[in-house]
């Protein structure tokens, strides 16, 4: 009975640690995306300004157009 509780605690701790690392990796990967396509800009609610190569407005505001 005692071994089951210890094993359950170890598994729960490992699972929570894994979720924390996954969340941090996702945040880094999302921050690294600095170029968007004109269609991604439009889908995010912005307008692709091809003279400045920037997405203006929406969720990708200020990001460069590739």
């Amino acid at each position: 009975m005692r071994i089951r509780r210890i094993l359950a605690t170890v598994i729960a701790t490992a699972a929570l640690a894994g979720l924390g690392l996954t969340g941090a990796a996702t945040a880094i990967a999302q921050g690294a995306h600095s170029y968007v396509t004109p269609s991604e800009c439009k889908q995010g609610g912005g307008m692709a300004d091809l003279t400045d190569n920037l997405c203006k407005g929406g969720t990708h505001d200020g990001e460069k157009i590739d």
Side-chain angles (χ1 to χ4, degrees), residues 10-22:
V10 170
I11 291 172
T13 304
L16 289 174
L19 288 175
L21 293 175
T22 304

Side-chain angles (χ1 to χ4, degrees), residues 31 33-38 40-49 52-65:
H33 190 260
S34 60
Y35 289 96
V36 294
T37 63
E40 286 175 330
C41 177
K42 194 176 212 181
Q43 287 174 355
M47 190 169 181
D49 184 2
D52 294 334
N53 286 335
L54 289 175
C55 180
K56 296 195 176 177
T59 57
H60 299 290
D61 188 35
E63 292 188 39
K64 293 183 178 182
I65 301 287

